[in-house]
Coordinates of all heavy atoms in Angstrom, one line a residue:
M15 N 0.8 -1.2 0.0 CA 0.1 0.0 0.0 C 0.9 1.3 0.0 O 1.8 1.4 0.8 CB -0.9 0.0 1.2 CG -1.7 1.2 1.4 SD -3.4 0.6 1.1 CE -4.2 2.0 1.0
T16 N 0.6 2.1 -0.9 CA 1.5 3.4 -0.9 C 1.0 4.4 0.1 O -0.3 4.5 0.3 CB 1.3 4.0 -2.3 OG1 -0.1 4.3 -2.6 CG2 1.7 3.0 -3.4
T17 N 1.9 5.1 0.6 CA 1.7 6.2 1.5 C 1.2 7.6 0.7 O 1.4 7.6 -0.4 CB 2.8 6.6 2.4 OG1 3.8 7.0 1.5 CG2 3.3 5.2 3.1
M18 N 0.7 8.4 1.5 CA 0.3 9.7 0.9 C 1.5 10.5 0.2 O 1.5 11.1 -0.8 CB -0.4 10.7 2.0 CG -0.9 11.8 1.4 SD -2.2 11.5 0.1 CE -3.1 13.0 0.3
W19 N 2.7 10.3 0.9 CA 3.8 11.1 0.4 C 4.3 10.5 -0.9 O 4.8 11.2 -1.7 CB 4.9 11.2 1.5 CG 4.5 12.0 2.7 CD1 4.3 11.6 3.9 CD2 4.4 13.4 2.7 NE1 3.9 12.7 4.7 CE2 4.0 13.9 4.0 CE3 4.6 14.4 1.7 CZ2 3.8 15.2 4.3 CZ3 4.4 15.7 2.1 CH2 4.0 16.1 3.3
E20 N 4.2 9.2 -1.0 CA 4.7 8.5 -2.3 C 3.7 8.9 -3.3 O 4.2 9.2 -4.4 CB 4.7 7.1 -2.0 CG 5.8 6.5 -1.2 CD 5.7 5.0 -0.9 OE1 4.8 4.5 -1.2 OE2 6.7 4.4 -0.4
L21 N 2.5 9.1 -3.1 CA 1.5 9.6 -4.0 C 1.7 10.9 -4.5 O 1.6 11.2 -5.7 CB 0.2 9.2 -3.5 CG -1.0 9.3 -4.5 CD1 -0.8 8.3 -5.6 CD2 -2.3 9.3 -3.8
I22 N 2.1 11.7 -3.6 CA 2.4 13.2 -3.9 C 3.6 13.3 -4.8 O 3.6 14.0 -5.7 CB 2.5 14.0 -2.6 CG1 1.1 14.1 -1.9 CG2 3.1 15.5 -2.8 CD1 1.2 14.8 -0.6
G23 N 4.6 12.5 -4.5 CA 5.8 12.4 -5.2 C 5.6 12.0 -6.6 O 6.2 12.5 -7.5
V24 N 4.8 10.9 -6.8 CA 4.5 10.5 -8.1 C 3.9 11.5 -8.9 O 4.1 11.8 -10.1 CB 3.7 9.2 -8.1 CG1 3.1 8.8 -9.3 CG2 4.7 8.1 -7.5
W25 N 2.8 12.1 -8.3 CA 1.9 13.2 -9.0 C 2.9 14.3 -9.4 O 2.7 15.1 -10.4 CB 0.7 13.5 -8.3 CG -0.4 12.5 -8.5 CD1 -0.8 11.6 -7.6 CD2 -1.1 12.3 -9.7 NE1 -1.8 10.9 -8.2 CE2 -2.0 11.3 -9.6 CE3 -1.0 12.9 -11.1 CZ2 -2.9 10.8 -10.5 CZ3 -2.0 12.5 -12.0 CH2 -2.8 11.5 -11.8
A26 N 3.8 14.8 -8.5 CA 4.7 15.8 -8.8 C 5.6 15.5 -10.0 O 5.8 16.3 -10.8 CB 5.5 16.2 -7.5
A27 N 6.1 14.3 -10.1 CA 6.8 13.8 -11.1 C 6.1 13.9 -12.4 O 6.6 14.3 -13.6 CB 7.4 12.4 -10.9
V28 N 4.8 13.5 -12.4 CA 4.0 13.4 -13.6 C 3.8 14.9 -14.0 O 3.8 15.3 -15.2 CB 2.8 12.8 -13.3 CG1 1.7 13.0 -14.4 CG2 2.7 11.4 -13.1
F29 N 3.6 15.8 -13.2 CA 3.2 17.1 -13.5 C 4.6 17.9 -14.1 O 4.5 18.5 -15.2 CB 2.9 18.0 -12.2 CG 2.9 19.6 -12.5 CD1 2.0 20.2 -13.3 CD2 3.9 20.3 -12.0 CE1 2.0 21.5 -13.5 CE2 4.1 21.5 -12.3 CZ 3.1 22.2 -12.9
F30 N 5.8 17.6 -13.4 CA 7.0 18.2 -14.1 C 7.4 17.6 -15.3 O 7.9 18.3 -16.2 CB 8.0 18.1 -13.0 CG 7.9 19.0 -11.9 CD1 7.7 18.6 -10.6 CD2 7.9 20.4 -12.1 CE1 7.5 19.5 -9.5 CE2 7.8 21.3 -11.1 CZ 7.6 20.9 -9.8
T31 N 7.1 16.4 -15.6 CA 7.4 15.6 -16.9 C 6.6 16.2 -17.9 O 7.0 16.7 -18.9 CB 7.2 14.1 -16.8 OG1 8.0 13.7 -15.7 CG2 7.5 13.5 -18.0
L32 N 5.2 16.5 -17.7 CA 4.4 16.9 -18.7 C 4.7 18.5 -18.9 O 4.5 19.1 -20.0 CB 2.9 16.8 -18.3 CG 2.5 15.5 -18.2 CD1 0.9 15.4 -17.8 CD2 2.4 14.9 -19.6
A33 N 5.0 19.2 -17.8 CA 5.5 20.7 -17.9 C 6.7 20.8 -18.8 O 6.8 21.7 -19.7 CB 5.6 21.2 -16.5
I34 N 7.7 19.8 -18.7 CA 8.9 20.0 -19.5 C 8.5 19.6 -20.9 O 9.0 20.3 -21.8 CB 9.9 19.0 -18.9 CG1 10.4 19.6 -17.5 CG2 11.2 19.1 -19.8 CD1 11.1 21.0 -17.5
Y35 N 7.7 18.6 -21.1 CA 7.4 18.3 -22.5 C 6.5 19.3 -23.1 O 6.4 19.3 -24.3 CB 6.7 16.8 -22.6 CG 7.9 15.8 -22.6 CD1 7.6 14.7 -21.6 CD2 8.9 15.7 -23.5 CE1 8.6 13.7 -21.7 CE2 9.7 14.8 -23.5 CZ 9.6 13.7 -22.6 OH 10.6 12.7 -22.5
S36 N 5.9 20.1 -22.5 CA 4.9 21.1 -23.1 C 5.7 22.2 -23.7 O 5.2 23.0 -24.5 CB 4.1 21.8 -21.9 OG 4.9 22.6 -21.2
F37 N 7.0 22.2 -23.6 CA 7.9 23.1 -24.4 C 7.8 22.8 -25.8 O 8.1 23.6 -26.6 CB 9.3 23.1 -23.8 CG 10.4 24.0 -24.6 CD1 10.1 25.5 -24.2 CD2 11.3 23.5 -25.5 CE1 10.9 26.3 -24.9 CE2 12.0 24.4 -26.0 CZ 12.0 25.8 -25.7
L38 N 7.6 21.6 -26.2 CA 7.5 21.1 -27.6 C 6.4 22.0 -28.3 O 6.3 22.2 -29.6 CB 7.2 19.7 -27.7 CG 8.3 18.8 -27.1 CD1 7.9 17.4 -27.1 CD2 9.6 19.0 -27.9
Y39 N 5.5 22.4 -27.7 CA 4.3 23.3 -28.2 C 4.7 24.8 -28.3 O 3.9 25.5 -28.6 CB 3.0 23.1 -27.5 CG 2.5 21.6 -27.7 CD1 2.4 20.7 -26.6 CD2 2.0 21.2 -28.9 CE1 1.9 19.4 -26.8 CE2 1.6 20.0 -29.1 CZ 1.6 19.1 -28.0 OH 1.0 17.7 -28.3
G40 N 5.8 25.1 -27.6 CA 6.2 26.5 -27.4 C 6.3 26.9 -26.1 O 5.9 26.2 -25.1
E41 N 7.0 27.9 -25.8 CA 7.2 28.4 -24.4 C 6.0 28.7 -23.8 O 5.1 29.5 -24.3 CB 8.2 29.5 -24.4 CG 8.7 29.9 -23.1 CD 10.2 30.3 -22.8 OE1 10.9 29.9 -23.8 OE2 10.4 30.8 -21.8
N42 N 5.7 28.3 -22.6 CA 4.5 28.5 -21.8 C 4.8 28.7 -20.3 O 5.8 28.4 -19.9 CB 3.5 27.5 -22.2 CG 4.0 26.2 -21.9 OD1 4.4 25.8 -20.7 ND2 4.0 25.2 -22.8
P43 N 3.8 29.2 -19.6 CA 3.9 29.5 -18.2 C 4.3 28.0 -17.4 O 5.1 28.0 -16.4 CB 2.7 29.9 -17.7 CG 2.0 30.5 -18.8 CD 2.5 29.8 -20.0
W44 N 3.7 27.0 -17.8 CA 4.0 25.7 -17.0 C 5.5 25.3 -17.2 O 6.1 24.8 -16.3 CB 3.2 24.6 -17.6 CG 1.7 24.9 -17.4 CD1 0.7 25.1 -18.2 CD2 1.1 25.0 -16.1 NE1 -0.5 25.4 -17.7 CE2 -0.4 25.2 -16.3 CE3 1.5 24.8 -14.8 CZ2 -1.2 25.4 -15.3 CZ3 0.5 25.0 -13.7 CH2 -0.7 25.3 -14.0
F45 N 6.0 25.4 -18.4 CA 7.4 25.1 -18.6 C 8.4 26.0 -17.8 O 9.3 25.7 -17.3 CB 7.8 25.2 -20.2 CG 9.2 25.1 -20.5 CD1 9.9 23.9 -20.4 CD2 10.0 26.2 -20.7 CE1 11.2 23.7 -20.5 CE2 11.4 26.0 -20.9 CZ 12.0 24.9 -20.9
R46 N 8.0 27.3 -17.8 CA 8.9 28.3 -17.0 C 8.8 28.0 -15.6 O 9.8 28.1 -15.0 CB 8.3 29.6 -17.4 CG 8.6 30.1 -18.8 CD 8.2 31.5 -19.0 NE 9.2 32.3 -18.4 CZ 10.0 33.1 -19.2 NH1 9.8 33.2 -20.4 NH2 11.0 33.9 -18.7
L47 N 7.7 27.6 -15.1 CA 7.5 27.2 -13.6 C 8.3 26.0 -13.4 O 9.1 26.0 -12.4 CB 6.0 26.9 -13.4 CG 5.9 26.3 -12.0 CD1 6.0 27.5 -11.0 CD2 4.4 25.8 -11.8
A48 N 8.3 24.9 -14.3 CA 9.0 23.7 -13.9 C 10.6 24.1 -14.1 O 11.4 23.5 -13.3 CB 8.8 22.7 -15.0
E49 N 10.9 24.9 -15.0 CA 12.3 25.2 -15.2 C 13.0 26.1 -14.0 O 14.0 25.7 -13.5 CB 12.4 26.2 -16.4 CG 13.8 26.5 -16.8 CD 13.9 27.5 -18.0 OE1 12.9 28.2 -18.4 OE2 14.8 27.4 -18.7
H50 N 12.1 27.0 -13.4 CA 12.6 27.8 -12.4 C 12.6 26.9 -11.1 O 13.6 27.1 -10.3 CB 11.6 28.9 -12.2 CG 11.9 30.0 -13.1 ND1 11.2 30.2 -14.3 CD2 12.5 31.2 -13.0 CE1 11.6 31.1 -14.9 NE2 12.5 31.8 -14.3
I51 N 11.6 26.0 -10.9 CA 11.7 25.1 -9.8 C 12.9 24.2 -9.8 O 13.7 23.9 -8.7 CB 10.3 24.4 -9.6 CG1 9.2 25.2 -9.2 CG2 10.5 23.2 -8.6 CD1 7.8 24.6 -9.2
F52 N 13.1 23.7 -11.0 CA 14.3 22.9 -11.2 C 15.6 23.4 -10.8 O 16.5 23.1 -10.2 CB 14.4 22.3 -12.5 CG 15.6 21.5 -12.9 CD1 15.7 20.1 -12.4 CD2 16.7 22.0 -13.5 CE1 16.8 19.3 -12.6 CE2 17.9 21.2 -13.8 CZ 17.9 19.9 -13.2
A53 N 15.8 24.8 -11.3 CA 17.0 25.6 -11.0 C 17.1 25.9 -9.5 O 18.1 25.9 -9.0 CB 16.9 26.9 -12.0
G54 N 16.0 26.3 -8.9 CA 16.1 26.5 -7.4 C 16.3 25.3 -6.6 O 17.2 25.5 -5.7
V55 N 15.8 24.1 -6.9 CA 16.1 22.9 -6.2 C 17.5 22.6 -6.6 O 18.2 22.2 -5.5 CB 15.1 21.9 -6.7 CG1 15.6 20.4 -6.0 CG2 13.7 22.1 -6.1
S56 N 18.1 22.7 -7.7 CA 19.4 22.3 -7.9 C 20.4 23.2 -7.1 O 21.3 22.8 -6.6 CB 19.7 22.5 -9.4 OG 18.9 21.6 -10.1
V57 N 20.1 24.5 -7.1 CA 21.1 25.4 -6.5 C 20.9 25.2 -4.8 O 22.0 25.1 -4.2 CB 20.6 26.8 -6.8 CG1 21.4 27.9 -5.7 CG2 21.1 27.2 -8.2
G58 N 19.8 25.0 -4.4 CA 19.5 24.6 -3.0 C 20.3 23.4 -2.6 O 20.9 23.3 -1.5
Y59 N 20.2 22.4 -3.4 CA 20.9 21.1 -3.1 C 22.5 21.3 -3.2 O 23.1 20.8 -2.3 CB 20.5 20.0 -4.1 CG 21.2 18.7 -3.9 CD1 20.7 17.8 -2.9 CD2 22.4 18.4 -4.6 CE1 21.5 16.6 -2.7 CE2 23.1 17.2 -4.5 CZ 22.6 16.3 -3.5 OH 23.3 15.1 -3.2
A60 N 23.0 22.0 -4.1 CA 24.4 22.3 -4.2 C 24.9 22.9 -3.0 O 26.0 22.7 -2.5 CB 24.7 23.0 -5.5
V61 N 24.1 24.1 -2.6 CA 24.5 24.9 -1.4 C 24.7 24.0 -0.1 O 25.5 24.0 0.5 CB 23.6 26.2 -1.2 CG1 23.8 26.8 0.1 CG2 23.8 27.2 -2.3
A62 N 23.6 23.2 0.1 CA 23.5 22.4 1.2 C 24.6 21.3 1.2 O 25.3 20.9 2.1 CB 22.3 21.6 1.3
F63 N 24.8 20.7 0.2 CA 25.9 19.8 -0.1 C 27.3 20.4 0.3 O 28.3 19.8 0.9 CB 26.0 19.3 -1.4 CG 26.9 18.1 -1.8 CD1 26.7 16.9 -1.3 CD2 28.3 18.4 -2.3 CE1 27.7 15.9 -1.5 CE2 29.2 17.3 -2.5 CZ 28.9 16.1 -2.2
N64 N 27.6 21.7 -0.4 CA 28.8 22.2 -0.1 C 29.1 22.7 1.3 O 30.2 22.7 2.0 CB 29.0 23.4 -1.0 CG 29.3 22.9 -2.4 OD1 30.0 21.9 -2.7 ND2 28.8 23.6 -3.5
L65 N 28.0 23.3 2.1 CA 28.1 23.6 3.5 C 28.3 22.3 4.3 O 29.1 22.5 5.3 CB 26.8 24.2 3.7 CG 26.5 25.6 3.3 CD1 25.1 26.2 3.8 CD2 27.7 26.6 3.8
D66 N 27.7 21.2 4.0 CA 28.1 19.9 4.7 C 29.6 19.6 4.5 O 30.2 19.2 5.5 CB 27.1 18.9 4.2 CG 27.3 17.6 4.9 OD1 27.2 17.7 6.2 OD2 27.4 16.5 4.3
Y67 N 30.1 19.7 3.3 CA 31.5 19.5 3.0 C 32.3 20.4 3.8 O 33.5 19.9 4.5 CB 31.7 19.5 1.5 CG 33.1 19.4 1.2 CD1 33.8 18.1 1.3 CD2 34.0 20.6 0.8 CE1 35.1 18.0 0.8 CE2 35.3 20.4 0.5 CZ 35.9 19.2 0.6 OH 37.2 19.1 0.3
L68 N 32.1 21.6 3.9 CA 32.8 22.6 4.6 C 32.8 22.3 6.1 O 33.8 22.3 6.8 CB 32.4 24.0 4.2 CG 32.8 24.6 3.0 CD1 32.1 26.0 2.8 CD2 34.3 24.7 2.8
R69 N 31.7 21.9 6.6 CA 31.5 21.5 8.0 C 32.3 20.3 8.3 O 33.1 20.3 9.3 CB 30.1 21.3 8.4 CG 29.9 21.1 9.9 CD 28.6 20.5 10.2 NE 28.7 19.1 9.6 CZ 27.6 18.4 9.3 NH1 26.4 18.9 9.5 NH2 27.7 17.2 8.8
D70 N 32.3 19.3 7.5 CA 33.1 18.1 7.6 C 34.7 18.5 7.7 O 35.5 18.1 8.4 CB 33.0 17.2 6.7 CG 31.5 16.4 6.9 OD1 30.8 16.7 7.9 OD2 31.1 15.9 5.9
Q71 N 35.0 19.4 6.7 CA 36.4 19.8 6.6 C 36.8 20.6 8.0 O 38.0 20.4 8.4 CB 36.7 20.6 5.5 CG 36.6 19.9 4.1 CD 37.5 18.9 4.0 OE1 38.8 19.0 4.3 NE2 37.2 17.7 3.6
W72 N 35.9 21.5 8.4 CA 36.2 22.3 9.5 C 36.4 21.5 10.8 O 37.4 21.5 11.6 CB 35.1 23.3 9.8 CG 35.3 24.1 11.1 CD1 34.9 23.9 12.2 CD2 36.2 25.1 11.2 NE1 35.3 24.7 13.1 CE2 36.1 25.6 12.5 CE3 36.9 26.0 10.4 CZ2 36.7 26.8 13.0 CZ3 37.5 27.1 10.8 CH2 37.5 27.6 12.1
V73 N 35.6 20.4 11.0 CA 35.6 19.6 12.2 C 36.8 18.7 12.1 O 37.5 18.6 13.2 CB 34.3 18.7 12.4 CG1 34.5 17.7 13.4 CG2 33.1 19.7 12.6
N74 N 37.0 18.1 11.0 CA 38.2 17.1 11.0 C 39.6 17.6 10.8 O 40.6 17.1 11.4 CB 38.0 16.1 9.8 CG 36.6 15.3 10.1 OD1 36.2 15.1 11.1 ND2 36.1 14.9 9.0
K75 N 39.7 18.7 10.0 CA 41.2 19.2 9.6 C 41.4 20.5 10.1 O 42.4 20.9 10.6 CB 41.4 19.0 8.1 CG 41.3 17.6 7.7 CD 41.4 17.5 6.2 CE 41.2 16.2 5.7 NZ 41.0 16.1 4.3
W76 N 40.5 21.4 9.6 CA 41.0 22.9 9.8 C 41.1 23.4 11.2 O 41.9 24.3 11.5 CB 40.0 23.8 9.1 CG 39.9 23.5 7.6 CD1 39.2 22.7 7.0 CD2 40.7 24.3 6.6 NE1 39.5 22.7 5.5 CE2 40.4 23.7 5.4 CE3 41.6 25.3 6.7 CZ2 41.1 24.1 4.2 CZ3 42.3 25.6 5.5 CH2 41.9 25.1 4.3
S77 N 40.2 22.9 12.0 CA 40.1 23.4 13.5 C 41.2 22.8 14.4 O 41.5 23.3 15.5 CB 38.9 23.0 14.1 OG 38.6 21.7 14.2
L78 N 42.1 21.9 13.9 CA 43.2 21.3 14.6 C 44.5 22.3 14.8 O 45.1 22.1 15.6 CB 43.5 20.0 14.0 CG 42.4 18.9 14.1 CD1 43.0 17.7 13.5 CD2 41.9 18.6 15.4
S79 N 44.6 23.1 13.7 CA 45.8 23.9 13.7 C 45.4 25.3 13.6 O 44.4 25.8 12.9 CB 46.6 23.5 12.4 OG 47.6 24.6 12.2
G80 N 46.1 26.3 14.3 CA 45.8 27.7 14.3 C 46.1 28.4 13.0 O 45.3 29.2 12.6
T81 N 47.1 27.9 12.3 CA 47.5 28.5 11.1 C 46.4 28.1 10.0 O 45.9 29.0 9.2 CB 48.9 28.1 10.5 OG1 49.8 28.2 11.7 CG2 49.3 28.7 9.3
L82 N 46.0 26.9 10.0 CA 44.9 26.5 9.0 C 43.6 27.1 9.3 O 42.9 27.5 8.3 CB 44.8 24.9 9.2 CG 46.0 24.2 8.5 CD1 45.7 22.7 8.6 CD2 46.1 24.5 6.9
M83 N 43.3 27.4 10.6 CA 42.1 28.0 11.0 C 42.2 29.5 10.4 O 41.2 30.0 9.9 CB 41.8 28.0 12.5 CG 40.4 28.6 12.8 SD 40.3 28.8 14.6 CE 40.8 27.2 15.1
L84 N 43.3 30.2 10.5 CA 43.3 31.6 10.0 C 43.3 31.6 8.5 O 42.6 32.4 7.9 CB 44.8 32.1 10.5 CG 45.0 33.6 10.0 CD1 44.0 34.4 10.6 CD2 46.4 33.9 10.3
L85 N 43.8 30.7 7.8 CA 43.7 30.5 6.3 C 42.4 30.3 5.9 O 41.8 30.9 5.0 CB 44.6 29.6 5.8 CG 46.1 29.7 5.8 CD1 46.9 28.5 5.3 CD2 46.5 31.0 5.0
Y86 N 41.6 29.5 6.8 CA 40.2 29.2 6.5 C 39.4 30.6 6.6 O 38.5 30.7 5.7 CB 39.7 28.1 7.3 CG 38.3 27.7 7.2 CD1 38.0 26.8 6.0 CD2 37.3 27.8 7.9 CE1 36.8 26.3 5.8 CE2 36.0 27.5 7.7 CZ 35.8 26.7 6.6 OH 34.5 26.3 6.4
I87 N 39.6 31.2 7.7 CA 38.9 32.5 7.9 C 39.1 33.5 6.7 O 38.3 34.2 6.2 CB 39.1 33.1 9.2 CG1 38.5 32.1 10.4 CG2 38.6 34.4 9.4 CD1 39.0 32.5 11.8
I88 N 40.3 33.6 6.4 CA 40.7 34.5 5.4 C 39.9 34.0 4.0 O 39.5 34.9 3.2 CB 42.2 34.5 5.1 CG1 42.9 35.3 6.3 CG2 42.6 35.3 3.8 CD1 44.4 35.3 6.3
A89 N 39.9 32.7 3.7 CA 39.2 32.3 2.4 C 37.7 32.6 2.6 O 37.2 33.0 1.6 CB 39.5 30.8 2.3
I90 N 37.2 32.5 3.7 CA 35.7 32.9 3.9 C 35.5 34.4 3.6 O 34.6 34.7 3.0 CB 35.3 32.5 5.3 CG1 35.2 30.9 5.4 CG2 33.9 33.1 5.5 CD1 34.7 30.3 6.7
L91 N 36.4 35.2 4.1 CA 36.3 36.6 3.9 C 36.4 36.9 2.5 O 35.7 37.8 2.0 CB 37.3 37.3 4.7 CG 37.1 37.4 6.3 CD1 38.2 38.0 6.9 CD2 35.8 38.0 6.6
F92 N 37.3 36.3 1.8 CA 37.4 36.5 0.3 C 36.3 36.1 -0.4 O 35.8 36.8 -1.3 CB 38.6 36.0 -0.3 CG 40.0 36.6 -0.2 CD1 41.1 36.1 0.5 CD2 40.0 38.0 -0.6 CE1 42.3 36.8 0.7 CE2 41.3 38.6 -0.5 CZ 42.3 38.1 0.2
G93 N 35.6 35.0 0.1 CA 34.4 34.5 -0.5 C 33.2 35.5 -0.4 O 32.5 35.9 -1.2
I94 N 33.1 36.1 0.8 CA 32.1 37.2 1.1 C 32.5 38.4 0.4 O 31.4 39.0 -0.3 CB 32.1 37.4 2.6 CG1 31.6 36.4 3.4 CG2 31.2 38.7 2.8 CD1 31.7 36.3 4.9
L95 N 33.6 38.8 0.3 CA 33.9 40.0 -0.7 C 33.6 39.8 -2.1 O 33.3 40.8 -2.8 CB 35.5 40.4 -0.5 CG 35.8 41.1 0.9 CD1 37.2 41.1 0.9 CD2 35.1 42.4 1.0
W96 N 33.8 38.6 -2.6 CA 33.5 38.3 -4.0 C 32.0 38.5 -4.3 O 31.9 39.1 -5.3 CB 33.8 36.7 -4.2 CG 33.5 36.4 -5.6 CD1 32.4 35.8 -6.1 CD2 34.4 36.4 -6.7 NE1 32.4 35.5 -7.4 CE2 33.7 35.9 -7.8 CE3 35.7 36.8 -6.9 CZ2 34.4 35.8 -9.1 CZ3 36.4 36.6 -8.0 CH2 35.6 36.1 -9.2
Y97 N 31.0 38.3 -3.4 CA 29.7 38.6 -3.5 C 29.3 40.1 -3.1 O 28.3 40.5 -3.6 CB 28.8 37.5 -2.7 CG 28.8 36.2 -3.4 CD1 29.5 35.2 -2.7 CD2 28.3 36.0 -4.6 CE1 29.5 33.9 -3.3 CE2 28.2 34.9 -5.3 CZ 28.9 33.8 -4.6 OH 28.9 32.5 -5.1
A98 N 30.3 40.7 -2.5 CA 29.9 42.1 -2.2 C 30.1 43.0 -3.4 O 29.6 44.0 -3.4 CB 31.0 42.4 -1.1
R99 N 30.7 42.5 -4.4 CA 30.8 43.4 -5.5 C 29.6 43.6 -6.3 O 29.4 44.4 -7.1 CB 31.9 42.8 -6.5 CG 31.4 41.5 -7.2 CD 32.6 40.9 -8.0 NE 32.1 39.5 -8.6 CZ 32.2 39.5 -9.9 NH1 32.7 40.2 -10.7 NH2 31.8 38.3 -10.3
F100 N 28.6 42.7 -6.0 CA 27.3 42.9 -6.6 C 26.4 44.0 -6.1 O 25.4 44.3 -6.6 CB 26.5 41.6 -6.6 CG 27.2 40.5 -7.4 CD1 27.6 39.3 -6.8 CD2 27.3 40.7 -8.8 CE1 28.2 38.4 -7.5 CE2 27.9 39.7 -9.5 CZ 28.3 38.5 -8.9
T101 N 26.8 44.6 -4.9 CA 26.1 45.7 -4.3 C 26.9 47.0 -4.6 O 28.0 47.0 -4.4 CB 25.8 45.5 -2.8 OG1 27.2 45.4 -2.2 CG2 25.1 44.2 -2.5
K102 N 26.1 48.0 -5.0 CA 26.8 49.3 -5.1 C 27.3 50.0 -3.9 O 28.1 50.9 -3.9 CB 25.8 50.2 -5.8 CG 25.4 49.7 -7.2 CD 24.5 50.8 -7.9 CE 24.2 50.3 -9.3 NZ 23.4 51.0 -10.0
Q103 N 26.7 49.6 -2.6 CA 27.1 50.2 -1.5 C 28.6 49.8 -1.0 O 29.3 50.5 -0.5 CB 26.1 49.9 -0.4 CG 26.4 50.4 1.0 CD 25.4 49.9 2.1 OE1 24.6 49.2 1.7 NE2 25.6 50.5 3.3
Y104 N 28.8 48.6 -1.3 CA 30.3 48.1 -1.0 C 31.1 48.0 -2.1 O 32.1 47.5 -2.2 CB 30.0 46.6 -0.4 CG 29.1 46.7 0.8 CD1 28.0 46.1 0.9 CD2 29.6 47.4 2.0 CE1 27.1 46.1 2.0 CE2 28.8 47.4 3.2 CZ 27.6 46.8 3.1 OH 26.8 46.7 4.2

């Protein structure tokens, strides 16, 4: 017997499959919705995966040495500065 969550997952897969194939008839709102949801889920998964990787690196290797911890913090600051260039204030 299938559970309610499995049934919702199946119907979501059916909807997104039909929404992607609807592009064959021309660009439409259903295709755009499916495309944006796919892009958002992909980016969210990548961010979560990379944050998990960084956490594992911090716990196992980086926090054991003061020099490596300083280099890690400098790398984080450079990463934040990389995104600060998109705002006019900074």
Side-chain angles (χ1 to χ4, degrees):
M15 179 108 193
T16 61
T17 64
M18 185 64 154
W19 290 109
E20 290 174 352
L21 192 61
I22 290 172
V24 168
W25 280 107
V28 168
F29 169 74
F30 286 117
T31 301
L32 292 175
I34 295 298
Y35 278 129
S36 72
F37 183 71
L38 297 173
Y39 293 113
E41 185 143 347
N42 56 56
W44 297 112
F45 172 75
R46 294 184 79 115
L47 175 71
E49 183 181 29
H50 285 85
I51 289 175
F52 177 76
V55 169
S56 299
V57 169
Y59 178 79
V61 167
F63 184 80
N64 287 325
L65 287 176
D66 186 46
Y67 173 76
L68 286 175
R69 187 199 63 205
D70 290 345
Q71 292 297 315
W72 176 265
V73 170
N74 295 332
K75 297 177 186 173
W76 294 90
S77 61
L78 299 178
S79 169
T81 306
L82 288 177
M83 188 183 311
L84 181 64
L85 289 173
Y86 185 72
I87 291 171
I88 290 171
I90 289 174
L91 290 176
F92 276 126
I94 292 170
L95 286 174
W96 181 268
Y97 287 107
R99 70 185 179 127
F100 294 118
T101 61
K102 292 182 181 180
Q103 183 180 2
Y104 300 112

